[in-house]
Amino acid sequence: MIDLQKLVRTNIRELISCAETKAEENVRDSQHIMLDANENPYNKPFNRYPSDNQTEIKEELAKLKGVTPKDIFLSNGSTEAIDMCYRIFCQPKVDNVVAIEPTCELYKRYAILNDIVYRSVLLDDSFQLNATALLNVCDKHTKLIWLCSPNSPSGNVLNVEEVEKVLKGFDGIVVIDEAYSDFSRLQTFRERLSEFPNMIVLNTFSKAWASAAIRLGVVYAQEAIINVFNKVSGLYHINQLTQEQAIDVLKHRYDIEDWIKILLLERKRMISAFASLACCEKVYPSNANFFLAQMKDAQSVYDYLCEKGINVWNCSNVSLCDNCLRITIGSKAENAEILGILRYYKPTT
Ligand SMILES: *Cc1c(COP(=O)(O)O)cnc(C)c1O
């Protein structure tokens, strides 16, 4: 069992008790004359602050994902949720977090920004997790463990038994970033919320949901944790345009299913085509909408692609990714373009 009270920082506990004493919320709807928030009465509908509990989006998501709206918090991109995890649970200069390596770089960035010590444990050479090694570097000041599955830049899903060992063996919060889970077709930890009171799962509208521009992230956790996020978030942090667009996307989700199907077929095609390129050493298997390819000379291929106006990520300086490029699965036409261009690539030496 986790003691959520004890895990939350003392200043956040104070904030929550302040919020509880001043719970005399005004009802804000078009039936009322609203002279309480210093808004301009003109330029409807954008003159008013947006809905602060995003009820409609949460209800749609809850139906779709088989959870209740109380298990959902919406953030300004999952980037904001990552930052909030630090601000809620980690005391600067005192606490630390533990993450896998390599992984998404945002966890480290927000650790530094919040003045929290960031420890990482190297994955094995097939990018798999060893729960015991991870738990061994935790101490009494470790508040969060960061897992990302499917992981970036490696693209693989973490071994489920090892993730379960981490969830059961750690008495702080385990955050599982499932930004790419729509591409894995495997069971997610989001579907197992009721089993793990210390788990936070992150999703985003930026990848499979094709809505990176609106900046919308989704946090799933048991209600006790979600309540803390609700109390801590700024008022009106999800803007009106984003909320409207999110509802539209949720109502047209059949397009999304179709896009995912195409992208998965394209992933298969791209991975086998890459594996047979002369400049490619090895392609790692992927459960995401990108794959990691080890090249004979990543920098030279990267420069060549840049020159042709094709952007990929050269992650050669990332741990375990020596000479690797990370390539996103594009449209059929874009994928055909990069493959065609790489067939004409000539090594520089
Ligand atoms: C893209 C990405 C994010 C950031 O998502 P936003 O919702 O766009 O802020 C977080 N985690 C991982 C693993 C990602 O790949």
Side-chain angles (χ1 to χ4, degrees), residues 35-52:
L35 306 179
D36 58 337
N38 299 347
E39 296 148 331
N40 187 320
Y42 307 113
N43 193 37
K44 285 178 180 162
F46 297 114
N47 59 326
R48 298 294 173 195
Y49 282 109
S51 149
D52 200 36

Side-chain angles (χ1 to χ4, degrees), residues 76-80 82 104 106-107 148 150 152 177 179-180 203-207 212 215-217:
N76 194 326
S78 37
T79 306
E80 185 194 32
I82 292 167
C104 170
L106 288 168
Y107 319 137
C148 181
S152 174
D177 191 339
Y180 298 104
N203 277 191
T204 175
F205 274 61
S206 299
K207 309 287 161 64
R215 312 303 301 126
L216 191 63

Side-chain angles (χ1 to χ4, degrees), residues 36-200:
D36 58 337
N38 299 347
E39 296 148 331
N40 187 320
Y42 307 113
N43 193 37
K44 285 178 180 162
F46 297 114
N47 59 326
R48 298 294 173 195
Y49 282 109
S51 149
D52 200 36
N53 33 28
Q54 309 107 26
T55 317
E56 194 177 354
I57 304 177
K58 287 182 188 170
E59 279 171 359
E60 285 294 322
L61 273 174
K63 260 190 281 171
L64 191 66
K65 304 290 184 180
V67 300
T68 78
K70 289 178 178 158
D71 300 330
I72 301 175
F73 173 80
L74 297 174
S75 57
N76 194 326
S78 37
T79 306
E80 185 194 32
I82 292 167
D83 188 29
M84 285 180 75
C85 288
Y86 285 107
R87 288 190 286 135
I88 291 171
F89 298 108
C90 302
Q91 184 66 41
K93 296 188 197 298
V94 176
D95 290 330
N96 67 70
V97 302
V98 172
I100 54 176
E101 183 177 341
T103 193
C104 170
E105 295 180 335
L106 288 168
Y107 319 137
K108 187 172 188 180
R109 174 183 163 77
Y110 282 93
I112 296 170
L113 203 54
N114 285 289
D115 207 358
I116 309 298
V117 174
Y118 181 90
R119 297 177 180 168
S120 62
V121 176
L122 214 55
L123 297 170
D124 70 18
D125 53 17
S126 51
F127 298 107
Q128 272 308 334
L129 163 72
N130 178 324
T132 313
L134 202 72
L135 292 169
N136 274 343
V137 302
C138 296
D139 60 26
K140 68 178 185 354
H141 291 297
T142 308
K143 292 296 174 65
L144 303 174
I145 289 180
W146 292 100
L147 299 176
C148 181
S149 181
N151 191 24
S152 174
S154 52
N156 64 306
V157 164
L158 298 175
N159 183 311
V160 172
E161 289 80 45
E162 293 300 300
V163 175
E164 286 169 348
K165 275 190 218 161
V166 173
L167 282 160
K168 289 176 184 157
F170 181 56
D171 51 13
I173 301 287
V174 180
V175 189
I176 307 181
D177 191 339
E178 294 190 330
Y180 298 104
S181 60
D182 293 283
F183 300 105
S184 82
R185 298 292 195 229
L186 300 168
Q187 195 193 28
T188 60
F189 277 90
R190 191 206 64 241
E191 294 162 77
R192 301 175 61 186
L193 275 189
S194 62
E195 287 175 60
F196 306 110
N198 61 335
M199 176 176 77
I200 291 176

Side-chain angles (χ1 to χ4, degrees), residues 202-241:
L202 303 181
N203 277 191
T204 175
F205 274 61
S206 299
K207 309 287 161 64
W209 290 72
S211 304
I214 71 173
R215 312 303 301 126
L216 191 63
V218 190
V219 177
Y220 295 95
Q222 290 187 10
E223 194 180 342
I225 292 180
I226 294 300
N227 282 340
V228 180
F229 276 82
N230 283 329
K231 296 271 165 48
V232 168
S233 80
L235 280 174
Y236 317 124
H237 69 139
I238 305 296
N239 77 66
Q240 184 72 33
L241 297 170

